[in-house]
Amino acid sequence: MTAAPTPKKRTRDPNRAAKVLAAARRLFYERGFHAVTVDEIGEAAGATGAALYRYFSSKEEVLSTLFDEAQDRMLVAIPDPTDDPIADVRTLVDRNLSITLEQRELGSIWAHEHRALSPEHTRRLDRRSRQFVDQWVACLRRAFPERADTDLYAAASAAIGTTTSLVARPGRVVSDHEQAIVRQMIVAGLLSLADPTPGA
């Protein structure tokens, strides 16, 4: 008499959460947050919709996590101070532009879907966004110490917003030439902070 075969023990895919996020990012980018169901995300990630709830409490948490990861990459890319604060400003612009374009799907999703988040998630992400802007202002302050913080915050917000606008429209291709023009425009605008009497 032979023993019954031992059933194989099911193991969880250690990369399943990352696959869920990648699938959600693509679907939210292509169709919008509200048009995508949990089941569709699960299927695109190679699982069931119910499996998604092992990793995330809701579709909204998936969206919030995507934004969190994007902000993490942006914060990590803030350059450490050097002896040349003007070069640091240029490095900051280059890195921000590069990462924004690398994350173009998330940039577009943010532009169209961040209002889908609950007030709780929105407040937390707003705090993290302020941290990012604060890091920009700290970099600008080292380069232009004579300027008021209100000027530096206005300049930082304008630079970030201009970069984000490149990826706001889904499917839009940004050419190398366009990137170069936008980079030149942002750098020139920031360097104008050296002029203590900007035009009215």
Side-chain angles (χ1 to χ4, degrees):
M1 186 173 179
T2 58
T6 304
K8 288 185 178 179
K9 186 176 181 180
R10 295 182 68 183
T11 58
R12 283 191 181 181
D13 181 349
N15 299 315
R16 180 69 68 202
K19 290 177 180 177
V20 167
L21 290 171
R25 182 179 65 241
R26 178 176 56 80
L27 291 171
F28 292 161
Y29 175 71
E30 292 173 351
R31 294 166 45 197
F33 175 77
H34 293 292
V36 175
T37 67
V38 168
D39 286 340
E40 288 170 328
I41 295 171
E43 182 180 350
T48 64
L52 181 146
Y53 292 109
R54 295 193 193 114
Y55 307 96
F56 304 98
S57 63
S58 64
K59 188 173 72 165
E60 182 192 7
E61 188 182 357
V62 173
L63 181 63
S64 180
T65 302
L66 286 170
F67 291 152
D68 267 335
E69 291 190 351
Q71 288 181 323
D72 286 343
R73 292 189 201 100
M74 301 300 270
L75 285 165
V76 167
I78 299 288
D80 292 327
T82 70
D83 293 334
D84 187 344
I86 296 297
D88 293 346
V89 170
R90 295 179 186 274
T91 300
L92 178 61
V93 172
D94 287 344
R95 289 186 183 179
N96 187 63
L97 185 58
S98 176
I99 292 175
T100 298
L101 291 168
E102 286 172 10
Q103 302 186 137
R104 68 183 66 221
E105 290 180 347
L106 285 171
S108 177
I109 294 167
W110 171 260
H112 299 284
E113 307 293 354
H114 68 276
R115 293 178 187 84
L117 295 173
S118 68
E120 178 186 355
H121 282 291
T122 299
R123 283 192 297 271
R124 185 172 56 76
L125 287 170
D126 283 348
R127 283 195 299 271
R128 301 200 71 211
S129 294
R130 282 194 297 273
Q131 289 177 340
F132 181 57
V133 176
D134 287 345
Q135 292 292 324
W136 268 74
V137 169
C139 182
L140 295 177
R141 190 182 293 122
R142 291 190 295 272
F144 312 106
E146 70 282 358
R147 297 307 294 252
D149 274 4
T150 51
D151 296 345
L152 301 179
Y153 274 99
S157 297
I160 294 167
T162 300
T163 303
T164 304
S165 71
L166 284 173
V167 297
R169 196 168 72 229
R172 181 172 181 268
V173 176
V174 181
S175 69
D176 291 343
H177 181 67
E178 185 177 3
Q179 292 176 42
I181 290 173
V182 170
R183 180 195 178 280
Q184 182 180 31
M185 184 179 70
I186 293 172
V187 169
L190 294 175
L191 294 183
S192 74
L193 290 168
D195 179 0
T197 57

